Amino acid sequence: MSKLVEKSQDSNTAALVRRLRDFLTEDGYSHSDRLPPERQLVALLGVSRSELRKALQVLEADGLIWRHVGRGTFVGARPVHDLSDLAYLRDLTRPVQLLEARIAIEPEIARLAALHASTSELERLRHWAERGRQATDWRMYEAADTNLHNAIAQAAHNKLLMHLFNEVNTVKRAVLWKVERKSPCPPRDHFAFSEHDAIIDAIDRHDAYAAHSLMRDHLGSVQANLPKGTSR
């Protein structure tokens, strides 16, 4: 296959990914909602099934959808809960309450990550921080942010804390999906970019105290920057 053909295929996939993301937004899909079957999406978008599947793979890699053989394709990150449990927790929890739960566990996770993170895990942290910077809309940013915090939790090497983190993280994706944003994407000077870098740097130099403190400060910034009118 020539490089020209490969470039054309990559361009077509990228264009289809943008169309699918617009489709999710314009049709009002929420976290954990199921998408139409592939045959319907193929007809709706006027593409082949192989083209659709390539685009869906990109969305899944970005954490915007997940797929379950025999059940279908769902919006958001793959849940650790049954979908009915997720819907219950999504409706029960408010953004401020979510932040309170995160502040209770994530600083300690960051402290442990500073003690135990490997070189490859640090590379993964920087990868997701950069993906967040490159996000062209809030959902892409939230997916990268989720993957970054998840990578920090994995680097802590504590299975019980990882389980607790997954519980909170699953609800986080569902709750943030409902938060309305005034701008189409994070600003270039979004506060989280520099704060994420500072946390990663502390983990890299194995400064457990700084990692704990910086994560707590970061979550405080997230709480302070919740859109006005967000309820408890």
Side-chain angles (χ1 to χ4, degrees):
M1 183 181 295
S2 70
K3 291 184 178 179
L4 182 61
V5 172
E6 289 179 351
K7 185 175 181 180
S8 175
Q9 289 182 341
D10 291 343
S11 177
N12 291 338
T13 299
L16 183 52
V17 167
R18 288 193 294 270
R19 290 178 64 191
L20 283 166
R21 284 170 43 209
D22 290 342
F23 170 74
L24 293 177
T25 301
E26 293 168 2
D27 281 42
Y29 282 89
S30 295
H31 195 281
S32 79
D33 285 348
R34 181 163 51 190
L35 296 183
E38 285 187 2
R39 64 179 182 276
Q40 291 185 24
L41 289 174
V42 164
L44 178 66
L45 298 169
V47 297
S48 69
R49 183 159 289 193
S50 63
E51 290 172 328
L52 175 66
R53 287 178 176 173
K54 286 181 181 179
L56 291 176
Q57 286 174 356
V58 174
L59 292 179
E60 187 169 24
D62 285 340
L64 297 178
I65 63 168
W66 65 280
R67 291 180 284 177
H68 187 290
V69 177
R71 296 181 65 183
T73 302
F74 298 86
V75 175
R78 183 180 298 275
V80 293
H81 293 285
D82 180 85
L83 289 179
S84 60
D85 293 336
L86 175 60
Y88 170 74
L89 288 171
R90 178 186 66 193
D91 295 339
L92 182 69
T93 306
R94 298 294 177 265
V96 173
Q97 295 170 331
L98 170 66
L99 262 299
E100 290 169 347
R102 293 182 65 191
I103 289 170
I105 64 170
E106 289 196 51
E108 178 61 16
I109 285 174
R111 186 187 74 82
L112 291 172
L115 298 176
H116 304 300
S118 66
T119 300
S120 63
E121 287 168 336
L122 282 161
E123 291 175 355
R124 194 173 304 120
L125 299 187
R126 298 196 186 281
H127 166 78
W128 286 117
E130 182 58 27
R131 289 294 293 271
R133 274 193 172 84
Q134 296 173 358
T136 55
D137 61 38
W138 280 106
R139 288 187 178 179
M140 285 188 68
Y141 168 76
E142 287 159 6
D145 178 76
T146 293
N147 285 325
L148 170 59
H149 284 265
N150 181 68
I152 293 172
Q154 290 177 343
H157 294 266
N158 184 302
K159 292 183 178 179
L160 181 55
L161 274 176
M162 187 74 212
H163 174 76
L164 294 174
F165 172 84
N166 280 334
E167 297 280 308
V168 174
N169 200 34
T170 300
V171 179
K172 169 194 169 187
R173 290 302 306 274
V175 170
L176 287 183
W177 202 272
K178 300 186 295 181
V179 173
E180 295 185 2
R181 307 282 189 173
K182 291 185 177 180
S183 61
C185 64
R188 290 182 179 274
D189 61 348
H190 186 46
F191 70 89
F193 298 156
S194 60
E195 292 182 1
H196 284 159
D197 288 343
I199 293 167
I200 295 169
D201 287 344
I203 293 172
D204 191 8
R205 63 178 185 268
H206 306 295
D207 189 335
Y209 176 83
H212 183 286
S213 179
L214 288 165
M215 178 62 80
R216 187 174 183 85
D217 289 346
H218 169 59
L219 294 175
S221 295
V222 174
Q223 189 172 39
N225 283 274
L226 285 173
K228 291 182 179 180
T230 302
S231 66
R232 293 183 63 87

